[in-house]
Amino acid sequence: MVLIKRIPSPLLTNKFNQYLIVILVIALTALLCRPLYNQQGYYIVSFILLFVVSIMAVFLGIGPILVASTISSLVWNYFFIPPHFAFHIERTEDKLMFGSFFFIALINGVLTNRIRRQEELALEREERTNAIFELTRELSNSGSVSEILDVAFKDMRKFFDVSSFCFLKEKENAVEILARKGTENENSRVDYKIAEWVFKNTIKAGRFTDFYSETDLTYYPLTGKQMNPGVMAIEFKKPLSVENEIFWAGYLTQISNALEREHLSELALKARLLGESDRLYKTLFTLFSHEFRIPIATIMGASDTLLISPATDADRTQLTMEIFKASARLNHLVENLLNMSRLESGKISAHLDWCDINDLLNNVTKVLKQELQQFDMLSTIPADMPLVRLDFGLMEQVIYNLILNSCQYAPAGSTISFEAAYRDGNLVLVIEDNGPGFPSELLDRAFDKFFRVDSSKAGGLGLGLSIVKGLTEAHKGVVKVENLEKHGARFTITIPTSIPDMKNIDLEI
Amino acid sequence: MNESDLILIIDDEIQIRRLLEISLASNGYRTIFASEGKDGVTVAATYNPSLIILDLGLPDIDGLDLLVNLREWFTKPIIVLTVRNSEDDIISALDKGANDYLTKPFRSGELLARIRTAIRLSMEKTDSQILEFGSLSIDLVSHIVRKNEEIIRLTTTEFSLLSLLARNQGRVLTHQFLLKEIWGYSYLEQTQYLRVFIAQLRKKIEDNPSKPELLITESGIGYRFGN
C-alpha cells in the first residue's frame, strides 16, 4: 500500500498527468534555452536539459522519466545540434555527444528515481514501525475491549488513513455470534454475511481477495492463540503489496492478542466471582438453615405440644410466649434481609425531614424496652440540641440496630450509652457498650455483610451492622467502630446536616 | 361500646383472616370477610359494618383505589393494613380517608386498641367541653389546660395543636394535616414548626418529656395522642 500522505498532490498521482508534465516541462525548457543557445552554443543546453530531467526524476515515476530522457535527447538533437530541425547529425563528435546525452539522461533519471523510491520505502517502513509501536504501547494501556478498539481504529485512521470496522465474537444462547463494534457510523457499508464467513473459515475475504470481492472492504479474521476474537474489516484504496500484506498480518495480530488477553482476563474474573459466590452461597445456606430452623422448630414444637397434650395454664402461657418470641425473631431476620436487599438494589433513598433526636432515641428505646431492661441506658443529648435533617424511619433502624447489637454482646447489668451532638455542620452520634468489643484483626470487617464474630452468642444473620452502614451512607454519612481502652465497642456516626433557622419561629404565638 | 359491632375484613390471606376472626370474636366482635376488593365493596354495601379492616395489598385491585371507592359513600372507620417501610403508602391512605393504619406483622392487642379507638371516635360527638386524660384536663371552651390541678400556660398555637390531637385521641394525624390545620397551607413543608412546638408541649404536659406518653411520634407519619 502507498502512504497517502507522502504524495503531495493528486496532479502527480495520475500517470497521464505525469507524461503530460514531462512533455510540457521539456518543451518549456527548450523554448527558454533558445536565447541561451544563440549566445553560448548547444552544449550548455544539454546540461540544462539533463538537470531538468534529474529534477523531474525526484517527483515522477519511472515511466515518465524514461520518456523524459528520450524526448529531451530528441529535442536537443532536433532543435539544437546542427543541422537544426533535422534528426540527422553530421559531425562524429556530435553523434557521440548525442549518444552520451541520451545515456546519461537515462541513467541519471533512473538512479534518481530509484533513490527516491528507496527513501519513500524507508519512510513508509518507519511510519509502519511508528504505527505498530504506538498501537502496541496504547494497547498495553487499554483496560477494556472498547478501549482496545478505540485505540486500533484511531491508529489505523492516523497512520494509514483507512476506515475500519470490527466484529467481535459474542455468545448468545451458546451460539457464537458476531456483534459489530466501533465508532464508525457508516453501518450500511459493512456486510455481516462476509464477516460471518470470514470468522467461520478464518480466511480473508472481500475487496482485493478471492472471495466476495464485489465489496468496498477487506475482511480479515482476527486470530488468537486460544480463541479467535472476531473479524476486522478495513477499507483499503489499493491492493496491498506482499510486504504490506505481511505488515498487516502482524498489525492485526497485535489487535487480536490484545482482544484475546482482555477476553481471557474477563473469563478469569468471572470464574473468580463464580467461586466467591459459590462460597458465599454455602456460608449463607448454613447460616440460614441454622438461623431460621431454630425459631421454626420452637414454633412447631410449642404449638404441637399445645395441640396434643393437656397442659397447665402456666405451661400454656409459657409455650405461647415461646411461640411469640420465636416469631418475633423470624420477623427480625426477614426484616433485615428485606432491608439489605433494598439497600443493595439502591431502592432506599433518604427522605430528609426535620427530626428531633430525643424523639428518635425515645422511639427506639420504646421498641427495645424488653431488651434494655437488663441494662443501664445512659443518654446524653444537649438541651440545645438543634433539629437535624434526617430520614426518621431510616435513622430509627440505624440506632435500633446499634443498641440491639450492644444488648446482644454486652454483659447484663452493664451500661449502654448514647450521645448526640451537633458539631461543624455534622450530626455526631456515639453509641458505646461494655461488651467484649471486636477482635482487633476483625475490626475492619465489622460492617461486612453476613459477618459474625465466630464466638458470637447472639445469632442472627450478621446483617445488622451492614444495614447500619448502608443507611448511614444513604444519609451521606459515615459510621466507624473502635474498641474502647478498657473493653467494649464504640460506634460513631457522622452525618452532614443543616439545622433550621429558628429566628422565624415565634414560640410565644 | 357496642360489643356486637360487625367488622368487615378485606384480606386475601386466609391465615390472617382466620387469626383475625378468632381474636376479634373472642373480644365480642362479629366478623365478615371478603378476599377480593370487588367483593369487599359489595359486602360493605350489603351489611353496612361498623368498621372495615382493609389490606392494601389485594390481588385484584390497588388497596388505595379501593379505599377511595369505599370513602365515596362509607362513612364509618376504615383501618388499613400494610407491609413495613411503606410510609408513603400509609400517608396517602390516611390522606384518602383511612382512620388508622397497622403494619404487618402486628400484635392483636394493638389491633384491638385501634379498633376500639376508631369506633369510639366515630360514635362520640365531642360535645363534652372538658377532655380528661389522667392528670391532664383540657377545657376546649375556656382554653384552660390543667396538669395535676395546676393551670398550665400554653400559647395559642400550643393550645390549638394540643386540642386537635386530644380531640382525635388514639388516632394518628399526619404532619401535613397538622401543619395545614394549625399553620395553614403555605406551611405544609415547614415540619420544623411542628417539631419545635411538639417538643415545647411535651415539656409542659408530659410527666417525663423524654419519654412522652401523651404526644406519641409515629415515625415518618405524624403524631398520635396516646390512650
Side-chain angles (χ1 to χ4, degrees), chain A residues 17-62:
Chain A
N17 281 348
Q18 290 197 5
Y19 289 109
L20 205 67
I21 286 167
V22 163
I23 294 166
L24 284 174
V25 168
I26 290 173
L28 197 69
T29 315
L31 209 65
L32 290 172
C33 284
R34 191 71 206 171
L36 200 67
Y37 161 75
N38 291 336
Q39 289 169 14
Q40 308 280 337
Y42 57 89
Y43 287 122
I44 196 83
V45 177
S46 72
F47 285 115
I48 291 172
L49 281 171
L50 276 178
F51 181 67
V52 168
V53 171
S54 307
I55 298 275
M56 285 194 291
V58 175
F59 298 104
L60 305 178
I62 187 74

Side-chain angles (χ1 to χ4, degrees), chain A residues 142-353:
Chain A
S142 311
S144 70
V145 168
S146 65
E147 268 178 50
I148 289 171
L149 290 180
D150 278 351
V151 165
F153 291 145
K154 213 179 70 197
D155 200 75
M156 282 189 254
R157 165 71 68 197
K158 179 175 165 190
F159 287 97
F160 310 110
D161 194 34
V162 289
S163 302
S164 45
F165 307 88
C166 188
F167 296 85
L168 282 189
K169 184 179 91 169
E170 280 185 7
K171 281 225 160 160
E172 192 173 82
N173 303 326
V175 182
E176 289 179 348
I177 58 149
L178 290 172
R180 208 187 75 83
K181 305 272 170 183
T183 48
E184 303 282 346
N185 45 18
E186 300 154 84
N187 276 333
S188 55
R189 289 164 53 203
V190 295
D191 190 332
Y192 188 85
K193 230 186 265 150
I194 303 177
E196 213 172 20
W197 186 89
V198 169
F199 183 68
K200 249 183 232 149
N201 297 290
T202 56
I203 302 173
K204 67 171 179 174
R207 199 171 182 201
F208 309 127
T209 70
D210 302 337
F211 308 97
Y212 297 103
S213 50
E214 296 298 304
T215 179
D216 290 346
L217 302 162
T218 315
Y219 295 74
Y220 286 88
L222 294 172
T223 50
K225 293 183 194 78
Q226 296 175 37
M227 49 89 71
N228 297 334
V231 171
M232 182 72 81
I234 306 169
E235 189 177 25
F236 289 125
K237 294 177 180 78
K238 288 182 172 189
L240 298 186
S241 65
V242 176
E243 194 185 358
N244 274 314
E245 279 287 3
I246 294 167
F247 163 76
W248 274 98
Y251 189 85
L252 292 174
T253 305
Q254 292 291 330
I255 299 173
S256 301
N257 287 349
L259 288 171
E260 189 184 15
R261 183 195 69 206
E262 197 50 42
H263 183 78
L264 291 177
S265 77
E266 259 170 36
L267 280 185
L269 185 72
K270 261 186 204 152
R272 209 176 67 227
L273 287 178
L274 210 65
E276 265 171 30
S277 76
D278 197 43
R279 249 197 323 283
L280 184 65
Y281 173 77
K282 277 179 190 140
T283 319
L284 283 186
F285 195 76
T286 323
L287 198 63
F288 275 44
S289 44
H290 180 78
E291 286 299 321
F292 278 90
R293 268 202 187 127
I294 292 175
I296 290 170
T298 311
I299 292 170
M300 287 179 78
S303 48
D304 198 36
T305 312
L306 283 172
L307 280 174
I308 59 166
S309 56
T312 62
D313 275 357
D315 287 346
R316 195 173 284 277
T317 311
Q318 185 62 40
L319 286 172
T320 318
M321 274 302 289
E322 290 304 324
I323 293 175
F324 183 79
K325 274 196 261 177
S327 47
R329 187 167 160 185
L330 276 177
N331 185 39
H332 183 66
L333 289 177
V334 171
E335 289 242 319
N336 270 349
L337 276 173
L338 282 177
N339 275 330
M340 199 68 230
S341 78
R342 277 197 202 101
L343 270 173
E344 300 248 296
S345 63
K347 280 193 185 125
I348 288 189
S349 58
H351 297 294
L352 302 181
D353 196 1

Side-chain angles (χ1 to χ4, degrees), chain A residues 324 331 335 338-339 342 351 353-356 358-359 362-363 365-366 370 383 387 389 391-394 396-397 500-502 504-509, chain B residues 84-85 87-88 104-105 107 153 155-158 175 189-193 195-200 202-203 210-212 215-220 223:
Chain A
F324 183 79
N331 185 39
E335 289 242 319
L338 282 177
N339 275 330
R342 277 197 202 101
H351 297 294
D353 196 1
W354 296 112
C355 290
D356 183 340
N358 290 289
D359 237 7
N362 179 56
N363 267 23
T365 50
K366 220 160 58 181
Q370 195 95 35
L387 297 176
R389 278 183 83 74
D391 185 309
F392 196 96
L394 297 186
E396 255 180 355
Q397 289 182 51
D501 183 3
M502 300 298 281
N504 295 330
I505 304 180
D506 187 351
L507 291 174
E508 299 308 319
I509 297 177
Chain B
R84 272 198 177 278
N85 298 315
E87 286 161 14
D88 292 344
K104 287 198 236 176
R107 303 183 67 158
R153 276 185 44 84
T155 67
T156 318
T157 310
E158 283 168 356
H175 296 137
E189 301 300 318
Q190 312 293 318
T191 44
Q192 70 271 32
Y193 281 75
R195 304 278 181 229
V196 170
F197 277 90
I198 290 281
Q200 285 292 114
R202 279 179 179 154
K203 279 182 199 149
S210 67
K211 294 209 181 312
L215 300 171
I216 311 289
T217 301
E218 290 284 322
S219 142
Y223 293 94

